[in-house]
Amino acid sequence: MARISAQQVIDTVLDHGSFVSWDSAPEHGPLDDDYRASLARAAEKSGVDEAVITGEGTVGKRRVAVICSEFGFLGGSIGAATARRIIRSIERATDERLPLLLSPTSGGTRMQEGTAAFALMISITTAVARHKDEHLPFLVYLRNPTTGGVMASWGSAGHFTFAEPGALLGFLGPRVVELATGAPMPEGVQTSENLFAQGIIDGIIPLEELRGAVRRTIDVLADGSISEPPCPPEAKLDGRDTWEAIVRTRDASHPGGGDIIDALVDASVPISGTGDGYKSLAVRARLARIGERPVVLVAQDRHNQPPLGSHPMGPKSLRFARRAMRIAESLNIPLVTVIDTPGAELTKDAEENAMAGEIARTLTTLVDLKVPTVSLILGQGCGGGALAMLPADKVLAMHDAWMSPLPPEGASAIIYRDTEHAPQMMEEQGVGAEAMLASGVIDEIVAEPEEQKDLTARALEAIEHALWSLEANPERVGRDQRFAHYRTFALGE
């Protein structure tokens, strides 16, 4: 397939005529004659003086730093001069507080420079880490081909990682793999399509659509107003029948977490997969804009989970949720979780992959986050899978929502050895929204809309108002507040 040049990326993504180069003459140091000649031939052939072009431009009039590899220069390989250029550009982007688009295409380290050049991947990675420490967005667009040390360091370090369709992407290129192991890499493994299917990258984007993706990300993350949004209607505590509420939320037509995710597609950026080999459909996540605020939204999608769907919420689903939580913290924006699940996966595979441990680690992550957090129990909240995503600075529940240690029929079976007592058990256990409010499990009940079709909009309205209330009352936000809150919940002190 034809290779995309660095200049093509710059011309396609940035506003016309806005690019300003940051490059100075390469700092190669002492060179032997053969290597010097190779560099001269590479420059003549490619039209650039090194394997990366760096600079800044605008996307929709917003400044963006760009670093683009040029495969035509010695296969986009990274030598000392290349690394220095990359590091200085990342540091400048950090100092000037610019979002960074990095688009590698490279076979990895420049063989002429050996181990010293190989170790420079660490130096580039530290520059990326400092950029992230400043809560600045770091976007990666992988081009064909990207392998070796580049793919194994800064090429895989983005907050969001997208790739060119059909690109060869992998730890080592297929020819090197076959020579090193004696066996060929199976066809189709090292492709952008397979990496997306496996949850390693967030999406596949043709070059002509990359500008839109970059602009959407920057727009979503832009600072917004802190004016008070409309307050959702106050729920009237009516002593509603818990079992009837459970029946309503179990109905396949009842909107779920996936509907809230889908309502934000036009103002959001997808987060897809754990980044280390798993793509979740039971839990979905996006960088989104709710009202005037950027957030990371993590939602349990009941319609993809059994019995309605075929994707149980297992250990890797929670690993994916935690990746999204870490993105929120890295970008210093609020995290919102939406709870709607019939329960976590109950299989041999789930047990052997530490279902209980993943719930514990997700709970720990949520109580430990440094950013504002809001959780909403939208409908069903069964067992540890629901509990895992509950802790927050502000916990909301729709009036029909409920949370129980076990599915109702399971609780009945334990106590009465039948399932007929499930309605009675749910009343006794205080699983309904009004009982949870009285016991302190939740902070607020959100009134159900008159029409079910309006539930998604009502939920988003409640989330937006909750985010504003935390902004207006920062003393309610953070790790120490959550620790104190849940200690008081337990001890009453």
Side-chain angles (χ1 to χ4, degrees):
M1 61 185 291
R3 293 195 175 99
I4 298 171
S5 71
Q7 195 61 51
Q8 282 178 281
V9 175
I10 290 167
D11 292 344
T12 303
V13 173
L14 300 182
D15 296 339
H16 180 69
S18 68
F19 178 70
V20 177
S21 175
W22 286 353
D23 295 338
S24 55
E27 304 170 45
H28 289 296
L31 302 174
D32 64 43
D33 291 341
D34 287 344
Y35 185 24
R36 188 183 302 278
S38 294
L39 291 171
R41 288 193 298 271
E44 183 178 0
K45 176 184 174 183
S46 65
V48 297
D49 63 357
E50 247 302 339
V52 291
I53 295 175
T54 75
E56 68 165 281
T58 58
V59 177
K61 299 184 179 180
R62 298 185 191 272
R63 292 175 70 202
V64 180
V66 291
I67 298 175
C68 293
S69 297
E70 177 51 67
F71 196 84
F73 192 103
L74 296 180
S77 58
I78 306 300
T82 333
R84 292 186 188 107
R85 179 174 285 182
I86 292 169
I87 291 165
R88 290 203 168 104
S89 298
I90 295 173
E91 289 178 343
R92 181 168 174 177
T94 305
D95 291 342
E96 300 190 23
R97 303 201 60 76
L98 298 180
L100 177 59
L101 170 64
L102 193 148
S103 182
T105 172
S106 173
T109 303
R110 194 166 294 169
M111 291 297 101
Q112 294 92 328
E113 297 187 32
T115 299
F118 180 49
L120 288 170
M121 301 301 174
I122 303 171
S123 302
I124 297 172
T125 300
T126 60
V128 170
R130 290 193 182 100
H131 189 77
K132 288 182 170 180
D133 283 347
E134 295 299 315
H135 309 301
L136 298 167
F138 178 62
L139 313 179
V140 173
Y141 183 63
L142 301 168
R143 286 148 50 219
N144 177 60
T146 304
T147 60
V150 171
M151 188 67 177
S153 57
W154 42 283
S156 295
H159 287 118
F160 308 98
T161 302
F162 301 101
E164 170 192 359
L168 168 64
L169 308 172
F171 176 44
L172 288 179
R175 180 172 61 86
V176 179
V177 169
E178 186 167 4
L179 289 171
T181 67
M185 179 68 70
E187 189 174 348
V189 171
Q190 295 180 309
T191 65
S192 50
E193 287 75 11
N194 188 48
L195 265 59
F196 177 60
Q198 299 301 322
I200 294 170
I201 62 175
D202 292 304
I204 301 169
I205 301 178
L207 177 61
E208 60 270 20
E209 296 178 15
L210 180 58
R211 172 182 167 84
V214 173
R215 180 167 185 173
R216 190 159 51 248
T217 305
I218 296 169
D219 287 347
V220 168
L221 288 169
D223 292 336
S225 166
I226 59 170
S227 59
E228 181 176 4
C231 185
E234 183 178 350
K236 294 181 173 62
L237 305 187
D238 54 13
R240 67 182 49 204
D241 186 285
T242 301
W243 187 249
E244 290 179 2
I246 289 172
V247 171
R248 284 193 292 271
T249 60
R250 282 178 158 182
D251 192 284
S253 66
H254 190 271
D259 294 290
I260 294 180
I261 289 277
D262 292 340
L264 297 170
V265 164
D266 292 338
S268 66
V269 178
I271 303 171
S272 181
T274 60
D276 58 5
Y278 181 74
K279 186 175 182 178
S280 174
L281 292 176
V283 176
R284 297 170 61 190
R286 295 186 82 90
L287 168 70
R289 200 164 184 87
I290 297 180
E292 292 301 316
R293 292 161 185 80
V295 304
V296 169
L297 175 64
V298 183
Q300 296 171 336
D301 192 341
R302 174 176 56 90
H303 291 93
N304 280 335
Q305 301 173 42
L308 300 179
S310 57
H311 299 277
M313 189 175 69
K316 293 178 180 178
S317 301
L318 294 182
R319 280 171 49 198
F320 167 59
R322 290 204 304 281
R323 180 203 164 199
M325 294 169 191
R326 289 192 295 270
I327 289 173
E329 188 160 71
S330 182
L331 292 173
N332 197 34
I333 59 176
L335 174 81
V336 176
T337 61
V338 176
I339 297 161
D340 190 26
T341 179
E345 182 178 357
L346 303 173
T347 64
K348 175 179 180 290
D349 182 71
E351 290 291 348
E352 292 180 349
N353 282 278
M355 186 76 246
E358 293 298 338
I359 291 171
R361 283 182 278 278
T362 305
L363 281 170
T364 301
T365 298
L366 275 175
V367 297
D368 210 35
L369 285 178
K370 298 179 179 66
V371 297
T373 57
V374 172
S375 68
L376 169 69
I377 311 174
L378 184 69
Q380 298 184 50
C382 266
L387 187 72
M389 289 172 55
L390 181 69
D393 296 319
K394 193 157 191 177
V395 181
L396 314 176
M398 301 304 299
H399 208 161
D400 276 348
W402 53 282
M403 178 174 283
S404 65
L406 285 174
E409 293 77 9
S412 177
I414 288 174
I415 301 300
Y416 294 102
R417 298 182 182 276
D418 63 36
T419 59
E420 285 72 27
H421 288 81
Q424 176 186 332
M425 285 291 300
M426 294 302 94
E427 287 290 350
E428 292 172 351
Q429 289 190 336
V431 307
E434 292 187 21
M436 288 192 289
L437 181 65
S439 65
V441 173
I442 65 173
D443 298 306
E444 189 177 307
I445 297 177
V446 181
E448 299 282 344
E450 291 184 10
E451 298 289 337
Q452 196 175 79
K453 64 181 177 61
D454 298 324
L455 179 61
T456 296
R458 175 65 55 79
L460 286 168
E461 184 181 33
I463 290 167
E464 183 182 1
H465 194 270
L467 289 167
W468 172 84
S469 72
L470 292 177
E471 238 174 36
N473 299 279
E475 71 279 358
R476 288 200 55 180
V477 173
R479 182 179 188 266
D480 290 343
Q481 184 279 139
R482 287 179 219 122
F483 279 28
H485 169 77
Y486 285 106
R487 185 177 189 278
T488 300
F489 173 67
L491 302 179
E493 298 174 1

